[in-house]
Amino acid sequence: MASIKNIVLDFGHGGIDKSGKYTTAPNKMFKFPNGEIAYEGFLNRQIGGLTEIYLRSNHPNFNIVTTVKAIDPRDLSLSYRVKVANQLPPLETIFISIHCNASKHHNASGFEIFTTKGVTKSDALATSIGNRIKPFYDKLNLKLRFDFDSDGDLDKEVDYYVLRKTKCPAVLLECLFFDFYQDFILLKNPEFQKELAWHIYQGILNFLIQN
Ligand SMILES: [Zn+2]
């Protein structure tokens, strides 16, 4: 484990504050016909927060940084999130942004990993994480897709800001689709969250061992 010292975790969007208000409302949420509501930022914090716990408890030698604390519901600006990463030396830092997906007709499913354009070290990080998640998702019959050319999809342009502006290797994970009920059932399941976070953590670790 040579040169990478800093692992920056970014939990996309806002969480739910003490009064029960979703700070990113009315965006990045979805109400199902049965009345249940999925809040993307809340799910991002749950999954990402578990990834953070695995890293912190097993690797005290790494500097684990979060752009926003998992318990902090504020929807911090993208420029602030990038600033947190860019304050650290790019050659010694990796950035992992954790999101869940949505689609126009609320009928898409699966996992996607995005990186910046062109061949960069981010691709190796994405491959490392994807290779860990793939067998887990295969078992559950879920799709997994890499996208090393993250542009052209306007819906996602906002989230991609963090990929465009960070100087270190950076990936953005879209864990599953929060607006698709079968995916949402998994996303909110604590056991699924733990297992997914574990595989994300293992994927990060694989990358660190090679870099
Ligand atoms: Zn998002």
Side-chain angles (χ1 to χ4, degrees):
M1 302 203 185
S3 64
I4 303 293
K5 296 183 177 71
N6 312 297
I7 302 164
V8 183
L9 297 176
D10 176 50
F11 314 135
H13 317 297
I16 294 170
D17 69 16
K18 284 203 181 80
S19 66
K21 182 178 164 286
Y22 180 49
T23 62
T24 311
N27 299 315
K28 306 292 179 180
M29 58 189 277
F30 185 73
K31 188 170 184 180
F32 292 98
N34 69 0
E36 266 191 275
I37 304 174
Y39 302 102
E40 186 201 334
F42 182 70
L43 296 166
N44 298 338
R45 278 163 174 69
Q46 290 189 312
I47 296 161
L50 289 165
T51 307
E52 180 191 356
I53 289 169
Y54 291 133
L55 282 165
R56 281 196 198 282
S57 48
N58 296 310
H59 304 278
N61 48 328
F62 282 113
N63 178 32
I64 315 296
V65 178
T66 56
T67 57
V68 59
K69 285 198 173 76
I71 53 160
D72 184 342
R74 289 177 298 162
D75 189 353
L76 299 177
S77 72
L78 296 172
S79 59
Y80 174 79
R81 293 163 189 264
V82 167
K83 202 172 94 185
V84 171
N86 286 350
Q87 277 167 349
L88 298 159
L91 294 175
E92 297 174 4
T93 304
I94 54 173
F95 179 91
I96 297 116
S97 188
I98 294 173
H99 286 256
C100 299
N101 227 333
S103 71
K104 196 173 174 191
H105 299 292
H106 318 300
N107 57 0
S109 168
F111 191 101
E112 291 180 290
I113 305 179
F114 297 93
T115 68
T116 36
K117 280 189 82 173
V119 179
T120 65
K121 239 184 175 178
S122 307
D123 296 355
L125 177 58
T127 303
S128 193
I129 295 172
N131 285 345
R132 273 308 298 222
I133 291 170
K134 189 161 189 321
F136 170 51
Y137 271 46
D138 280 351
K139 209 174 59 191
L140 295 169
N141 233 338
L142 295 164
K143 278 173 286 185
L144 187 138
R145 198 167 80 91
F146 293 91
D147 194 334
F148 291 159
D149 191 8
S150 66
D151 67 354
D153 186 339
L154 289 178
D155 275 359
K156 300 202 172 93
E157 269 307 303
V158 174
D159 291 348
Y160 290 159
Y161 177 95
V162 296
L163 294 179
R164 290 197 308 269
K165 299 289 184 181
T166 42
K167 295 192 179 105
C168 63
V171 298
L172 190 145
L173 313 182
E174 296 277 12
C175 291
L176 280 177
F177 283 74
F178 69 84
D179 66 344
F180 184 67
Y181 200 66
Q182 283 93 322
D183 279 18
F184 175 60
I185 295 282
L186 291 170
L187 286 171
K188 66 173 184 167
N189 178 330
E191 290 310 312
F192 177 85
Q193 291 178 350
K194 264 187 242 168
E195 202 164 344
L196 176 57
W198 174 259
H199 291 298
I200 295 170
Y201 155 64
Q202 289 288 323
I204 295 169
L205 216 57
N206 279 353
F207 176 82
L208 294 173
I209 288 164
Q210 293 157 19
N211 288 272

